[in-house]
Amino acid sequence: MSAGTPPLSTLPKPQAKALNCPQCGAAITLRALGHAETVVCESCHSILDAKDPNLRILQTFQAIIGEVPPLIPLGTRGKLRGTDYEVIGFQRRGIKVEGISYYWHEYVLFNPYKAIRYLTEYNGHWNDISVCKELPIVQFATANYLGEVYKHFQSSDATTNYVLGEFPWQVRVGEHAAVTEYVKPPRVLSAEKTANEVTWSLGEYIYGADIWKSFNLPGSPPEAIGVYENQPSPVSENVKGIWGAFLAFAIFLLVLMAGFDLASSKGTAFESTYTLNYGEPKGEASFVTQTFDLEGRTSNVEVTTSANVSNSWIYLNFALINQDTGQAWDFGREVSYYYGSDSDGSWSEGSTKDSVVIPSVPAGHYYLRIEPEVDAKHAPISYSVEVKRNVTVPGFFGIAFLALLIPAIAITWRSISFERARWSESDHPPVQIQLGNSEE
Amino acid sequence: MFRKLYLAYGFLVLGGTSFAQYHGWSLDRINQLKNVPKSVRDNPGSYRSVYGFYHHYTGGK
């Protein structure tokens, strides 16, 4: 609260004055005596001249039966953005777009030492509105206010169709105003043009829960439906930051991969070449290699098999066996390579090389048991087996890259969807993407 | 908030990747056996691979 502005709760109510409606005789309390231009009788809905000592009748209107009462009752006091206010007026306004009527509610907030503020509510979305201190500059579809650029959202003709309480202007049911709105979430800039004047106001999105807390209202606010024109996106602010973080992580991932690759032992632990001539193997095909050492900490082992297969295959049953502990890693690998040409052109399948990475192999003395299988009628096949220790597994880094990329894409997609939902209600709806044939 | 969550998640991903790489994990499925007899070295035929009856591909396009 600013200095010199006593809270309403500490003030007596000398400004309030009890009067009677000249139309129906019901009691009327003037809460903003001296500030209100009009006051509406809650009983017969006559609009009365608050400046007139006899409360001259300005207009009578038939309230719609079943009209929703104000969510914040008139006379409710609360503290909004550090200032005490009292709700003194309520009106319902509406626009018609493509034959459909949309209504919102406006609450007039009064503090004798501050300018009038307003709260608006549409489908559970609230805005805290105040009159602009400077005149915005409108250029094409944008408005510049205090150095911030607002994008045009909607232009419509608003009609007041229900009023209650006091108003600091000559309110009338049925009065029209051309409303033009510009948005820069969480703010909205509105121009209301009547026959006599143009009023610019600035609104800031406020959550219903905050209003309920500010005015100490019972229960909970109505749930917000859909996306409102100046509703702040829960994710949009994060999109740039997340892509920045993704880029940093991706670079770090590359550095990490390069670091592991540099740190890995480049040497070959074992390498040998074997040949299967025509008709071989005969009988028992399996054999064991000489013993080789795998050194260092427990890490992976890569076994690479290369074979000069040509429109043929070789299958190798491998077992990497620890000579001392009897621990073994059993796996089968196929090397096959086929190629040719047909009506679609040349083709090829498979490869003459195959690699497999055995996980978490402790240091020790090892040998390989190899059992080759080949086609019964095969040309001589030469194959080599190479064993490497502690190799970099690019797959891990590929998975990590995807794991980092997917949330960034998901958040971006969510942000785009939110903005599409926002602008779909505007005069500038996003282009709809048509999938398949549209029906005429 | 999303950015902080993503940062925490990103560091977790990088940490997990480093851990997996350092400890020599693999994406390949390898069957591990224990207590293979030492006689395999002298008699390789006494060991039978679980992949011994693999049905290889012989097709091509």
Side-chain angles (χ1 to χ4, degrees):
Chain A
M1 181 182 296
S2 60
T5 307
L8 285 178
S9 55
T10 61
L11 286 174
K13 289 186 172 180
Q15 299 91 340
K17 185 179 178 182
L19 297 165
N20 289 96
C21 174
Q23 176 78 358
C24 69
I28 290 172
T29 304
L30 274 174
R31 298 180 177 92
L33 189 64
H35 294 83
E37 290 278 337
T38 50
V39 59
V40 183
C41 174
E42 291 185 37
S43 178
C44 68
H45 300 103
S46 296
I47 300 173
L48 311 170
D49 187 348
K51 296 285 187 189
D52 187 282
N54 299 315
L55 295 178
R56 183 169 56 95
I57 299 169
L58 298 171
Q59 187 188 31
T60 57
F61 72 96
Q62 186 67 45
I64 301 164
I65 294 169
E67 169 63 48
V68 180
L71 290 167
I72 311 174
L74 298 187
T76 304
R77 291 180 173 199
K79 187 175 275 189
L80 196 66
R81 303 195 196 280
T83 304
D84 290 290
Y85 286 103
E86 181 174 358
V87 179
I88 61 165
F90 170 76
Q91 66 174 339
R92 190 175 80 154
R93 305 177 76 192
I95 56 168
K96 196 172 254 188
V97 180
E98 294 173 355
I100 302 167
S101 294
Y102 300 91
Y103 298 103
W104 70 93
H105 299 107
E106 294 183 4
Y107 298 81
V108 183
L109 305 183
F110 173 71
N111 180 308
Y113 305 100
K114 293 280 183 179
I116 294 280
R117 290 185 91 86
Y118 307 90
L119 284 175
T120 64
E121 183 268 331
Y122 173 75
N123 272 352
H125 297 279
W126 294 80
N127 265 291
D128 173 22
I129 312 277
S130 56
V131 176
C132 288
K133 292 169 184 169
E134 289 180 22
L135 192 64
I137 301 160
V138 176
Q139 286 180 320
F140 305 108
T142 61
N144 191 313
Y145 181 64
L146 299 177
E148 291 200 312
V149 178
Y150 294 73
K151 288 183 189 170
H152 178 262
F153 190 85
Q154 194 174 54
S155 295
S156 56
D157 184 47
T159 308
T160 305
N161 46 43
Y162 182 83
V163 290
L164 203 62
E166 294 161 63
F167 295 86
W169 71 91
Q170 290 285 338
V171 72
R172 297 289 187 280
V173 166
E175 70 183 1
H176 292 266
V179 180
T180 308
E181 291 175 310
Y182 301 85
V183 296
K184 185 181 193 304
R187 285 182 283 281
V188 57
L189 198 59
S190 301
E192 291 204 14
K193 188 179 179 184
T194 60
N196 306 321
E197 61 180 2
V198 179
T199 308
W200 283 90
S201 56
L202 182 69
E204 185 163 354
Y205 193 89
I206 184 168
Y207 291 95
D210 293 336
I211 291 172
W212 254 239
K213 194 178 170 186
S214 297
F215 287 89
N216 197 24
L217 295 168
S220 53
E223 195 178 338
I225 299 166
V227 176
Y228 195 56
E229 59 185 11
N230 64 324
Q231 185 180 351
S233 167
V235 290
S236 291
E237 287 179 5
N238 300 285
V239 170
K240 274 187 183 175
I242 281 172
W243 280 107
F246 167 76
L247 193 67
F249 281 137
I251 292 167
F252 193 64
L253 201 62
L254 270 176
V255 172
L256 205 63
M257 191 173 163
F260 273 113
D261 202 48
L262 284 171
S264 65
S265 52
K266 298 289 180 192
T268 300
F270 171 80
E271 187 173 21
S272 190
T273 302
Y274 309 94
T275 304
L276 278 171
N277 292 314
Y278 180 78
E280 288 179 347
K282 290 174 182 168
E284 178 56 47
S286 63
F287 64 93
V288 293
T289 66
Q290 64 189 58
T291 305
F292 52 89
D293 290 339
L294 293 177
E295 295 171 341
R297 61 181 159 78
T298 297
S299 63
N300 59 32
V301 169
E302 184 184 49
V303 178
T304 304
T305 313
S306 304
N308 62 341
V309 284
S310 175
N311 279 328
S312 59
W313 57 271
I314 181 169
Y315 186 80
L316 297 151
N317 294 299
F318 283 106
L320 176 70
I321 302 168
N322 187 312
Q323 185 175 256
D324 306 318
T325 63
Q327 194 175 10
W329 288 264
D330 201 9
F331 54 97
R333 305 303 295 179
E334 179 188 288
V335 182
S336 63
Y337 181 62
Y338 291 87
Y339 59 91
S341 61
D342 57 17
S343 56
D344 295 334
S346 60
W347 58 269
S348 68
E349 281 186 18
S351 171
T352 57
K353 198 171 180 179
D354 172 81
S355 283
V356 63
V357 177
I358 305 164
S360 305
V361 180
H365 306 292
Y366 288 84
Y367 63 91
L368 280 170
R369 176 193 177 273
I370 303 171
E371 186 179 351
E373 290 178 30
V374 288
D375 203 346
K377 294 174 182 176
H378 66 88
I381 294 175
S382 174
Y383 65 95
S384 66
V385 178
E386 185 184 18
V387 177
K388 277 186 176 177
R389 177 72 156 156
N390 190 21
V391 295
T392 306
V393 182
F396 284 136
F397 296 89
I399 290 168
F401 182 81
L402 286 176
L404 292 168
L405 181 65
I406 288 166
I409 290 174
I411 287 168
T412 307
W413 177 253
R414 202 177 153 194
S415 170
I416 291 169
S417 301
F418 191 92
E419 292 304 323
R420 284 183 74 87
R422 182 201 307 284
W423 287 94
S424 65
E425 299 296 324
S426 74
D427 289 347
H428 319 281
V431 177
Q432 296 291 323
I433 299 165
Q434 297 284 341
L435 296 173
N437 294 328
S438 59
E439 290 180 14
E440 292 295 325
Chain B
M1 191 190 77
F2 279 96
R3 191 166 178 263
K4 282 182 182 173
L5 275 175
Y6 183 75
L7 283 173
Y9 168 77
F11 281 116
L12 206 68
V13 168
L14 290 182
T17 307
S18 303
F19 184 88
Q21 178 61 54
Y22 183 82
H23 287 88
W25 292 6
S26 168
L27 296 171
D28 295 312
R29 281 178 59 200
I30 305 290
N31 193 36
Q32 196 178 150
L33 305 167
K34 287 182 178 175
N35 302 320
V36 172
K38 292 199 172 186
S39 58
V40 173
R41 184 116 188 87
D42 303 318
N43 183 12
S46 65
Y47 181 94
R48 278 289 156 230
S49 165
V50 294
Y51 299 91
F53 301 97
Y54 172 79
H55 294 280
H56 55 80
Y57 174 76
T58 57
K61 189 171 178 183

